[in-house]
Amino acid sequence: VQLQASGGGLVEAGGSLTLSCAASGLTFSSYVMGWFRRAPGKEREFVAHINWSGDSTLYSGSVKGRFTISRDNANNTAYLQMNSLKPEDTAVYYCAASRIRATASRSIDYWGRGTLVTVSS
């Protein structure tokens, strides 16, 4: 199983980025897809997830209203649209796949390698 995250980079505060997660080696539509992040000096935290069919989502309080998670089951890809970025959003973002609607790292079945997002003030 491979989860390849991409789309990270450097952006100014208030800007936008879209992360992509291309999955292979698994039955994509059977997994909840999520994003976690690890900021410098902090533990990895849940950001968002989307259910198997894409009609139900959950966001952390810190990103709700600014980030949008989506998925394309035909192309085995999940996305995270990030708007109104803040310096505190700076982190390595990890794509995650789980059989259940997980918000805890211990419940994740597969992890991507991560992509760095840096938001300058």
Side-chain angles (χ1 to χ4, degrees):
V1 174
Q2 284 194 328
L3 302 178
Q4 183 63 51
S6 61
L10 175 64
V11 63
E12 292 185 350
S16 298
L17 279 176
T18 299
L19 305 184
S20 299
C21 174
S24 61
L26 77 170
T27 304
F28 185 73
S29 59
S30 295
Y31 286 83
V32 175
M33 296 303 297
W35 292 91
F36 288 69
R37 67 186 181 186
R38 178 176 284 155
K42 295 187 178 181
E43 294 186 354
R44 185 159 51 188
E45 65 173 359
F46 168 77
V47 175
H49 69 211
I50 186 166
N51 73 338
W52 309 267
S53 59
D55 59 1
S56 181
T57 58
L58 181 69
Y59 298 91
S60 70
S62 60
V63 309
K64 190 172 184 179
R66 300 187 297 121
F67 290 11
T68 301
I69 189 170
S70 61
R71 66 189 296 160
D72 180 350
N73 284 351
N75 291 298
N76 291 359
T77 304
Y79 303 95
L80 186 68
Q81 172 70 43
M82 304 184 294
N83 298 326
S84 302
L85 283 161
K86 305 175 181 179
E88 52 264 43
D89 294 317
T90 294
V92 177
Y93 283 73
Y94 297 90
C95 178
S98 58
R99 291 180 179 86
I100 63 172
R101 298 190 64 173
T103 59
S105 294
R106 64 179 180 275
S107 299
I108 299 300
D109 295 293
Y110 302 107
W111 292 99
R113 284 193 175 184
T115 184
L116 177 62
V117 173
T118 303
V119 184
S120 63
S121 57

